[in-house]
């Protein structure tokens, strides 16, 4: 498949869409980004890379980090995690508190903020140790040792993170948080503030396209059953409250973040990442969603 021609064509076609929507402004450090940026990278299981646009520009991966921490939690405690977090789409916004109260502090799924906070608690071994472990994991997956936290963004999230703080304390009040809320939030804010580029992001999701084995290192990151589960969760819960729309338009398991990144997986074939900071009303990259829709249309490779 000539992915380079396909993404070149997509690049030209999405130009009028780039900058449509709004950048996330509820985290002040994300507010000042140039919204007219776009990048797309495809990495195949067979080891080929295709890029277009600003694929070496770092951006804040935000919620996409929830896939990395969930992978670590699945490795650590496997199915026991589901005693503390659900596996259903929430039908509410990613930072909603309402459902959490009704459902006794058990978040609907690991990809809404409440669920990710519980996942960070599940892998907690001290703030520094856990942050280092997450970073090491992402560096190994991407093969890029320079990936790090954007401390300015982490700090901005901490200062303006009142809603996440409320969420963590509510979960704690239901006894579904083992550690102190502020300690867990320190992990959560930092994982969201990981800065990496679009190509590294595509590379770091390749294990999910290859039955849990990272084809670059041959390392088994997740066993194949867990890999299936992770992809199913991304398909049903990975795109906030627009997960149905994304499945309809793109037809791939994926995960988005309010930094404007989206990464998706074609099982047994490839991982594809896009980045464009302006978001639609659901918090997903406007041009990025369009680009992925065109990608599965032109490459005819949706899972459906
Ligand atoms: N750090 C963001 C928050 O907690 C993550 C949001 C996202 O990308 O969904 O609000």
């Amino acid at each position: 498949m000539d992915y380079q021609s396909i993404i070149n064509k997509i690049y030209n076609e999405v130009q009028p869409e780039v900058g449509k929507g709004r950048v996330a402004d509820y985290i002040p450090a994300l507010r000042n980004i140039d919204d007219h940026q776009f990048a797309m990278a495809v990495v195949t299981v067979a080891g080929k890379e295709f890029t277009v646009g600003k694929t070496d520009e770092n951006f804040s991966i935000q919620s996409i980090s929830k896939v990395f921490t969930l992978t670590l939690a699945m490795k650590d405690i496997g199915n026991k995690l589901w005693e503390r977090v659900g596996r259903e789409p929430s039908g509410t916004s990613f930072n909603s508190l309402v459902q959490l109260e009704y459902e006794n502090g058990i978040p609907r799924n690991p990809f809404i903020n409440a669920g990710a906070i519980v996942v960070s608690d599940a892998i907690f071994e001290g703030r520094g140790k856990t942050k280092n472990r997450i970073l090491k994991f992402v560096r190994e997956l991407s093969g890029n040792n320079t990936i790090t936290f954007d401390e300015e963004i982490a700090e901005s999230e901490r200062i303006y993170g009142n809603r996440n703080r409320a969420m963590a304390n509510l979960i704690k009040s239901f006894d579904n948080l083992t550690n102190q809320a502020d300690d867990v939030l320190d992990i959560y804010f930092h994982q969201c503030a990981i800065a990496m580029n679009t190509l590294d992001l595509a590379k770091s999701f390749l294990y999910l396209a290859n039955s849990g084995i990272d084809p670059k290192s041959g390392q088994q990151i997740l066993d194949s059953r867990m890999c299936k589960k992770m992809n199913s969760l991304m398909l049903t819960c990975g795109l906030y409250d627009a997960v149905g729309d994304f499945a309809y338009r793109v037809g791939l398991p994926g995960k988005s973040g309010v930094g404007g990144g989206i990464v998706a997986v074609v099982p047994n074939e490839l991982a594809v990442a896009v980045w464009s900071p302006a978001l639609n009303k659901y918090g997903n990259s406007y041009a990025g969603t369009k680009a992925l829709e065109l990608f599965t249309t032109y490459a005819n490779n949706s899972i459906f």
Side-chain angles (χ1 to χ4, degrees):
M1 181 72 71
D2 185 0
Y3 289 118
Q4 192 61 52
S5 306
I6 289 176
I7 64 174
N8 289 348
K9 181 167 153 162
I10 293 170
Y11 181 81
N12 291 329
E13 233 169 285
V14 296
Q15 284 315 305
E17 316 287 334
V18 175
K20 277 193 191 160
R22 290 186 55 185
V23 301
D25 53 8
Y26 73 103
I27 301 169
L30 289 179
R31 197 179 281 163
N32 297 325
I33 191 149
D34 171 7
D35 60 3
H36 277 76
Q37 305 189 77
F38 179 87
M40 185 165 195
V42 174
V43 182
T44 69
V45 167
K48 296 223 162 65
E49 294 174 13
F50 308 89
T51 58
V52 69
K54 292 191 167 179
T55 43
D56 54 4
E57 183 90 11
N58 282 346
F59 63 94
S60 185
I61 64 169
Q62 293 294 318
S63 257
I64 296 172
S65 67
K66 294 170 182 172
V67 176
F68 299 130
T69 48
L70 181 60
T71 299
L72 293 175
M74 281 177 154
K75 283 157 95 82
D76 288 357
I77 57 171
N79 289 328
K80 272 191 89 56
L81 182 70
W82 309 123
E83 293 165 16
R84 301 179 58 188
V85 190
R87 298 187 301 252
E88 293 293 340
S90 69
T92 59
S93 71
F94 63 94
N95 56 6
S96 169
L97 280 154
V98 179
Q99 206 164 44
L100 202 52
E101 168 76 358
Y102 281 133
E103 299 185 356
N104 302 318
I106 308 287
R108 264 294 170 96
N109 69 64
F111 294 147
I112 51 173
N113 289 10
I117 289 168
V118 171
V119 170
S120 301
D121 183 62
I123 60 168
F124 189 89
E125 306 169 274
R127 302 203 312 195
K129 201 167 170 197
T130 313
K131 284 191 277 188
N132 283 339
R133 183 181 180 205
I134 296 168
L135 213 47
K136 186 167 172 274
F137 184 50
V138 176
R139 286 175 174 174
E140 272 168 17
L141 288 175
S142 62
N144 181 350
N145 269 329
T146 68
I147 289 173
T148 194
F149 303 118
D150 183 325
E151 290 292 345
E152 191 198 337
I153 291 182
E155 181 60 5
S156 187
E157 295 216 36
R158 189 186 66 76
I159 295 171
Y160 295 92
N162 293 315
R163 185 169 270 272
N164 286 324
R165 204 163 295 118
M167 225 172 273
N169 282 295
L170 188 58
I171 297 168
K172 181 91 179 157
S173 78
F174 283 107
D175 249 352
N176 193 14
L177 213 61
T178 309
N179 301 283
Q180 291 307 314
D182 281 337
D183 289 344
V184 178
L185 287 170
D186 184 52
I187 311 291
Y188 174 74
F189 293 145
H190 275 84
Q191 69 180 64
C192 289
I194 291 173
M196 59 199 284
N197 67 42
T198 314
L199 177 60
D200 288 342
L201 188 59
K203 285 188 195 164
S204 63
F205 266 63
L206 218 42
Y207 70 103
L208 293 172
N210 192 40
S211 305
I213 299 171
D214 181 351
K216 303 181 296 304
S217 64
Q219 211 191 327
Q220 185 99 45
I221 307 295
L222 279 179
D223 73 37
S224 58
R225 286 169 311 168
M226 287 292 189
C227 179
K228 176 190 81 175
K229 290 174 181 178
M230 182 67 84
N231 281 323
S232 305
L233 282 165
M234 289 201 294
L235 186 74
T236 53
C237 309
L239 276 289
Y240 309 126
D241 214 7
V243 75
D245 183 61
F246 189 81
Y248 179 82
R249 291 171 59 189
V250 180
L252 294 177
K255 185 73 200 84
S256 60
V258 297
I262 311 178
V263 55
V265 164
V266 179
N268 304 317
E269 182 72 34
L270 58 83
V272 51
V274 282
W275 170 62
S276 193
L279 310 176
N280 64 23
K281 65 176 177 181
Y282 298 106
N284 296 318
S285 170
Y286 190 101
T289 305
K290 180 74 195 165
L292 288 172
E293 180 178 7
L294 292 172
F295 182 67
T296 51
T297 303
Y298 294 149
N300 193 19
N301 60 1
S302 118
I303 60 168
F304 298 109

